[in-house]
Amino acid sequence: MRLTVNSRQHDLDVEDEMPLLWVLRDVLGIHGPKYGCGIGQCGACTVHLDGVAVRSCQIAAADAVGAAITTIEGLGTPEAPHPVQTAWIVEQVAQCGYCQSGQIMQAASLLAEVPNPTDAEIDDAMSGNLCRCATYPRIRAAIRRASQSEDS
Amino acid sequence: MGAGKIARRGFLVGAAALGGGIAFGTYLYRRTPENPLRATLPSGSTVLTPYVMISAEGITLITPRADVGQGAASIQAHLLAEELDVDPAKVQLDPGPASPVYYNGKVAAEGMPLAAWDSRWLAQTGRSASDVAGKLIGLHLTGGSTTVPDTYERLRAAGASARETLKAAAAGEMGVAVDQLRTEDGQVIGPDGSTRAYSDLIEALRDTPVVQDVPLRAPEQWVRLGRKHQRTDIVPKSTGTFRYGVDLTLPNMIHATVVTNPVRGGGLRRMDTRAAEAMRGVEAVVAITDGAAVLADNDWRAMEAARAIEVEWDGGGPDTDALWQTHADAMTDDNRDSRFADDGNVETAPGAPVTAEYRVPFLHHAPLEPANATVLYQPERTEVWTATQAPRFVAQAVARITGQDAEVVTVHALPAGGSFGHRLEDEWVRQAAEIAVQRPGRPIRLTWSREQDMTHGFLRPMALARGHGTVQDKRVRSLDLSIAAQSVAESQLGRAGMPSFGPDVAIVAAAWDAPYAIPDRRVTGYRVRAMVPVSSWRSVGASHNGFFHECFLDELIHAAGADPVEERLRLLHDDPSRKVLETVADMANWAGPAGARGVAFVYSFGVPVAQICEVRDTDGGIVIDKLWIAAEVGRVLDPVNIEAQLSGGALFGLGHAISSEITLTDGSTDQTNFHDYESLRIWQTPKVEVRVLESGGPIRGAGEPGLPPAAPALANAIFAATGTRLREMPFAKTLRFA
Ligand code: FES
Ligand code: FES
């Protein structure tokens, strides 16, 4: 099957039902998306499918064929971070950092859809992303900061 | 990563003595342990310090305390950099090898019955004994919020010694006096403005004796510490480029996962692995302690095959319901473990009586990164890559399995995707080693599935407390608290093959030493005989005792008809403690008009912390609007991160208090993943405001002490809102939360 990840095409021989998360991590060596639960409960594996945040542990590889898959590596880089990543850096959100690829992908998807989310919209959009280190106050602050930077 | 890199090329500069002020002790204690980096350096190099390495490629700072997300690597780098004059963002960081050189001189004090507010001679002597003990046994360990207190002087001294040695080397080369030189950004600068990069001084360093006992810069001179700065891991953690153990990829690596008995040592009745072995990508299913391991070509195939193994386990164990009775039965003289506080006479204290019983359940650490380890076994040498808070224990545990000397087991300590105490354990490392000896020459990367991780926790003990007290003349007159729990020290040291002696302070920590001058006051610990493997969970005994003590005190204060803040202030006999309580009351405008609020104060890990929580009782359930936190840590080194640690600790405490519990049926954990082991989510998170006081007293760490006051502040606020006293966690069992 052919998958398009971060604008690059990959021809792969994997099981149709292999979750996209594991294709990314173990077949393509793209390690930004993380395994936290495997059952759609934590959001650590969040990537974009055609710009929309999804849990890659819940998407069968075959169902991602034809879609533009974006991982955190495709969102921005240390040298050229995406505005959401810049906000995350300025607010120093991360503690252990394990959930943060997923948090950032979820937030980027929210802001693409709702450029100026209310507090309730932020909490609602981020509700499926677990942070065991409880960095939530800074996640909110970073989303607000990113939303303002896109305004200006 | 790890020692491998250091071994190839390097030159180490700095102080041969670690830290200063070692004034007494045995011969063995006085002798500086061998620098672990020396053994593996190329010939011709000289090794002078275990913390700073200079090579032609640049500078590497050694940060031996484990980074489990709390920012340990960054703060250690900043401590070194403040004296060494390098930019932490421009140097390499490396946790270094497992070695007694990196002993922790502070952590053993946590196991002693010493109240942190007690500055009398006996308590000070006890704390010094902790340093002796840590050094004697080479306790290379991270925990007990000791990273900052333990490395505060040691790393600055190493940085200063390295800087002055570099200057001495440069002085020789440049033909000028040392006092004409200064240092900046990894360079020595001469009087004429000419510069020498540190990494260009390697040759000159060979003949330069190490400059020792360099006076440390005063805090007023600091340019990094105490000021807002960026943690060294923030950019990689915001761009998906930070690497964890689960991401480690080595040539020819085998992906493994395990299926083991949910009751350790329980035995196996029947196992059928045929279906698993026939699945795509599966190389083999091999036997390990308590079960089997699947070896495959990727994690998912290994986990799918593990699910296809049919198994019936033997053995069994307790049910949680029955264990409550066991805890109640343990409150007898036979099981009395400690009575460190016994003032006045609680038996005869006058006043109106108040009694209450409290319960907290088992909890799992459940860091978001599942347990994992990579082991490469070769007959002459074994390498281990894993996140660990105790690398020497890991090396010894692996050596027992491979039949090798611990000296030939190299542990590359990796940063962890969370720990909360979990990475003090090493069961998964031992499992990876058991697999590795069956596949010499091939790296085995073992990753636990979330289900394996959730059902094989090393648990925060469940605990039961009974409070009895009296009130008189609008005052709290007496408080008698009895606490029954398993001993974490006994369980955890037992797993490492070590005995534990005497009472376990954790059973009563933060209760016996609560600095309240209540005329008749007694705290008794009862030891529940070990049945379930228990472990150090963020803030350890204080995680339950803060709740027990502060909720019961609150009940007494209400029965007395006094104000919860005023009466606590009246009772607190420790000045810094009163100060944090006054501060938090100020922040929350306690005296002014407000919603339903609760207050709690807990002194743990040397840090007095006061919190006020504000809640609303709505149609949808309890909403937590706000949490105010005030703490006193002596001195703040990283103002941004300390706020995150205190806030994170408190929110971790709130989340577990509301919704988390591990229950056992026949010894097996009932919860299997995050759907039935919930913790705080963003919509439940209150606004948090933190204020950190710096009295200039002993410097303290903030990873744990933010947690214990959170649950009682919430419970006390809920009482104010609803009139319901929450005496059992998780609170969601009793009340609905929005
Ligand atoms: S790993 Fe996909 S939601 Fe947790
Ligand atoms: S930063 Fe650790 S889980 Fe979110």
Side-chain angles (χ1 to χ4, degrees):
Chain A
M1 73 179 69
R2 172 172 288 190
L3 294 182
T4 310
V5 185
N6 300 331
S7 309
R8 280 186 53 189
Q9 299 199 331
H10 301 271
D11 288 304
L12 303 164
D13 167 29
V14 297
E15 296 87 327
D16 282 357
E17 71 275 16
M18 187 189 284
L20 178 58
L21 171 66
W22 296 109
V23 178
L24 295 169
R25 288 184 54 79
D26 282 357
V27 182
L28 297 175
I30 296 171
H31 288 126
K34 293 286 186 274
Y35 167 71
C37 70
I39 60 165
Q41 288 288 318
C42 76
C45 64
T46 304
V47 301
H48 292 176
L49 230 52
D50 294 327
V52 177
V54 295
R55 309 288 179 236
S56 66
C57 71
Q58 299 300 300
I59 304 281
D63 293 337
V65 171
I69 301 160
T70 310
T71 71
I72 184 134
E73 289 90 342
L75 193 70
T77 62
E79 296 72 33
H82 182 275
V84 173
Q85 292 173 309
T86 303
W88 242 254
I89 292 166
V90 174
E91 293 292 340
Q92 302 213 47
V93 176
Q95 288 286 303
C96 85
Y98 197 79
C99 72
Q100 300 295 348
S101 294
Q103 306 276 5
I104 289 167
M105 295 309 280
Q106 188 70 38
S109 167
L110 164 69
L111 289 172
E113 215 181 308
V114 188
N116 280 298
T118 62
D119 288 358
E121 283 170 330
I122 292 175
D123 281 6
D124 202 43
M126 305 305 293
S127 64
N129 288 76
L130 181 65
C131 178
R132 289 287 291 162
C133 303
T135 61
Y136 303 121
R138 289 193 182 173
I139 289 174
R140 285 175 180 154
I143 292 174
R144 275 188 222 110
R145 175 180 287 274
S147 136
Q148 281 154 15
S149 77
E150 278 171 17
D151 278 353
S152 53
Chain B
M1 303 286 285
K5 194 166 85 186
I6 295 160
R8 283 192 296 276
R9 45 178 165 73
F11 192 90
L12 293 128
V13 189
L18 301 165
I22 297 162
F24 69 98
T26 63
Y27 166 71
L28 193 62
Y29 173 68
R30 258 187 234 171
R31 199 176 59 193
T32 301
E34 192 65 15
N35 186 329
L37 308 173
R38 185 175 282 137
T40 48
L41 273 173
S43 64
S45 300
T46 312
V47 178
L48 302 169
T49 183
Y51 297 102
V52 181
M53 180 181 80
I54 314 242
S55 73
E57 286 81 21
I59 298 157
T60 303
L61 304 181
I62 308 299
T63 59
R65 293 291 168 268
D67 201 305
V68 293
Q70 84 285 43
S74 183
I75 200 63
Q76 291 172 89
H78 279 84
L79 283 162
L80 285 159
E82 186 63 61
E83 291 284 350
L84 185 57
D85 290 333
V86 295
D87 181 349
K90 293 190 200 157
V91 300
Q92 297 288 318
L93 305 188
D94 192 299
S99 166
V101 158
Y102 304 123
Y103 79 95
N104 186 326
K106 293 276 196 270
V107 74
E110 279 304 321
M112 300 177 189
L114 305 170
W117 41 260
D118 188 349
S119 55
R120 287 169 301 179
W121 174 82
L122 192 65
Q124 297 292 17
T125 306
R127 279 181 212 112
S128 306
S130 162
D131 189 62
V132 176
K135 189 168 182 182
L136 269 176
I137 63 171
L139 196 60
H140 183 173
L141 190 114
T142 306
S145 296
T146 58
T147 293
V148 163
D150 185 51
T151 64
Y152 178 56
E153 282 186 10
R154 203 195 290 195
L155 292 181
R156 285 183 301 143
S161 174
R163 180 193 72 230
E164 290 305 312
T165 309
L166 284 155
K167 277 163 73 180
E173 267 208 351
M174 295 165 121
V176 295
V178 173
D179 59 12
Q180 292 186 280
L181 298 173
R182 59 193 183 87
T183 48
E184 199 181 297
D185 197 17
Q187 298 181 321
V188 182
I189 303 170
D192 58 353
S194 64
T195 60
R196 285 279 199 297
Y198 291 174
S199 47
D200 291 339
L201 288 166
I202 294 178
E203 281 310 314
L205 281 166
R206 291 198 202 289
D207 306 315
T208 309
V210 176
V211 182
Q212 310 243 26
D213 301 323
V214 180
L216 297 180
R217 289 171 176 161
E220 300 74 54
Q221 297 170 274
W222 289 347
V223 297
R224 303 174 196 286
L225 298 174
R227 299 171 185 237
K228 280 196 179 179
H229 60 258
Q230 194 175 76
R231 256 173 67 162
T232 52
D233 51 354
I234 283 294
V235 172
K237 283 179 176 175
S238 308
T239 49
T241 52
F242 194 82
R243 288 291 159 259
Y244 302 85
V246 289
D247 303 321
L248 184 77
T249 308
L250 296 170
N252 214 12
M253 184 174 86
I254 297 175
H255 297 244
T257 200
V258 299
V259 179
T260 62
N261 196 323
V263 180
R264 293 181 177 88
L268 182 66
R269 204 169 294 156
R270 188 187 73 86
M271 184 179 277
D272 184 347
T273 61
R274 283 169 298 182
E277 279 163 315
M279 288 168 72
R280 179 173 171 185
V282 174
E283 183 176 311
V285 178
V286 302
I288 59 162
T289 299
D290 278 338
V294 180
L295 279 45
D297 59 356
N298 71 42
D299 285 0
W300 179 71
R301 288 177 183 146
M303 287 181 199
E304 286 296 293
R307 249 187 278 276
I309 293 176
E310 283 175 38
V311 64
E312 276 174 55
W313 304 113
D314 236 338
D319 290 348
T320 322
D321 287 347
L323 286 175
W324 287 120
Q325 192 56 48
T326 314
H327 281 64
D329 293 346
M331 287 194 183
T332 64
D333 283 348
D334 287 357
N335 299 306
R336 193 205 289 178
D337 191 64
S338 70
R339 185 170 277 169
F340 301 131
D342 193 0
D343 301 330
N345 188 341
V346 291
E347 314 268 0
T348 58
V354 177
T355 59
E357 184 176 296
Y358 299 87
R359 293 173 174 205
V360 299
F362 286 123
L363 293 173
H364 182 20
H365 306 93
L368 198 53
E369 180 186 20
N372 66 89
T374 302
V375 179
L376 169 59
Y377 165 79
Q378 284 163 313
E380 65 289 351
R381 170 177 150 90
T382 294
E383 285 188 87
V384 180
W385 294 261
T386 197
T388 172
Q389 294 172 237
R392 292 193 72 216
F393 290 171
V394 165
Q396 285 154 10
V398 168
R400 279 195 290 273
I401 290 163
T402 60
Q404 293 165 314
D405 239 31
E407 272 75 71
V408 301
V409 177
T410 303
V411 177
H412 307 274
L414 306 179
S419 173
F420 318 116
H422 197 237
R423 270 46 170 172
L424 284 164
E425 304 294 340
D426 60 12
E427 185 173 54
W428 47 93
V429 192
R430 286 182 275 118
Q431 291 171 342
E434 285 189 42
I435 303 166
V437 293
Q438 302 182 49
R439 292 291 186 280
R442 294 197 61 188
I444 307 295
R445 190 181 88 196
L446 165 63
T447 306
W448 276 7
S449 67
R450 176 56 59 190
E451 289 77 12
Q452 174 77 18
D453 197 298
M454 195 62 80
T455 52
H456 291 75
F458 294 90
L459 306 176
R460 195 287 301 272
M462 62 192 283
L464 176 76
R466 288 189 182 142
H468 177 84
T470 57
V471 298
Q472 198 180 37
D473 304 331
K474 292 194 144 245
R475 291 178 164 195
V476 176
R477 170 62 209 234
S478 70
L479 181 152
D480 182 18
L481 193 64
S482 301
I483 303 160
Q486 279 183 244
S487 164
V488 167
E490 180 186 329
S491 187
Q492 204 157 26
L493 289 170
R495 283 195 290 286
M498 288 187 285
S500 61
F501 303 103
D504 184 350
V505 181
I507 294 174
V508 290
W512 82 270
D513 51 344
Y516 292 110
I518 298 170
D520 304 284
R521 184 173 173 278
R522 182 166 80 175
V523 177
T524 312
Y526 295 95
R527 184 177 296 217
V528 176
R529 295 296 144 196
M531 294 155 296
V532 175
V534 289
S535 178
S536 300
W537 187 89
R538 197 173 189 173
S539 83
V540 202
S543 72
H544 44 79
N545 295 333
F547 171 61
F548 296 155
H549 193 280
E550 282 302 289
C551 283
F552 186 56
L553 181 60
D554 212 65
E555 296 207 36
L556 289 168
I557 292 172
H558 276 275
D563 177 81
V565 168
E566 290 305 315
E567 180 65 355
R568 280 180 176 83
L569 283 174
R570 190 185 70 80
L571 291 168
L572 284 170
H573 60 67
D574 174 65
D575 285 339
S577 299
R578 268 202 307 276
K579 190 90 207 326
V580 298
L581 186 52
E582 282 164 358
T583 303
V584 87
D586 249 19
M587 290 164 71
N589 189 19
W590 176 266
R597 289 167 170 196
V599 63
F601 166 85
V602 182
Y603 202 133
S604 67
F605 300 89
V607 183
V609 184
Q611 296 182 12
I612 290 176
C613 186
E614 182 169 306
V615 303
R616 254 180 311 135
D617 188 14
T618 72
D619 290 347
I622 300 287
V623 175
I624 311 173
D625 283 323
K626 187 94 198 218
L627 186 68
W628 291 269
I629 305 173
E632 160 63 60
V633 298
R635 187 179 289 286
V636 172
L637 301 181
D638 179 344
V640 179
N641 193 50
I642 200 164
E643 182 192 296
Q645 281 292 297
L646 287 165
S647 156
L651 295 176
F652 192 76
L654 284 187
H656 288 86
I658 295 168
S659 31
S660 315
E661 86 176 311
I662 293 289
T663 56
L664 306 177
T665 302
D666 198 19
S668 298
T669 298
D670 298 319
Q671 291 70 24
T672 60
N673 204 316
F674 287 121
H675 67 289
D676 52 9
Y677 188 72
E678 265 294 355
S679 54
L680 198 75
R681 295 276 177 169
I682 195 167
W683 78 84
Q684 302 169 303
T685 304
K687 294 201 167 49
V688 182
E689 206 179 303
V690 180
R691 199 170 298 168
V692 189
L693 308 181
E694 303 177 74
S695 67
I699 193 162
R700 299 293 187 174
E704 295 173 276
L707 189 148
L714 172 61
N716 294 340
I718 288 172
F719 172 71
T722 66
T724 303
R725 277 287 174 197
L726 294 175
R727 299 193 180 97
E728 184 176 3
M729 292 191 198
F731 299 156
K733 268 182 155 173
T734 311
L735 273 183
R736 200 158 139 220
F737 285 78

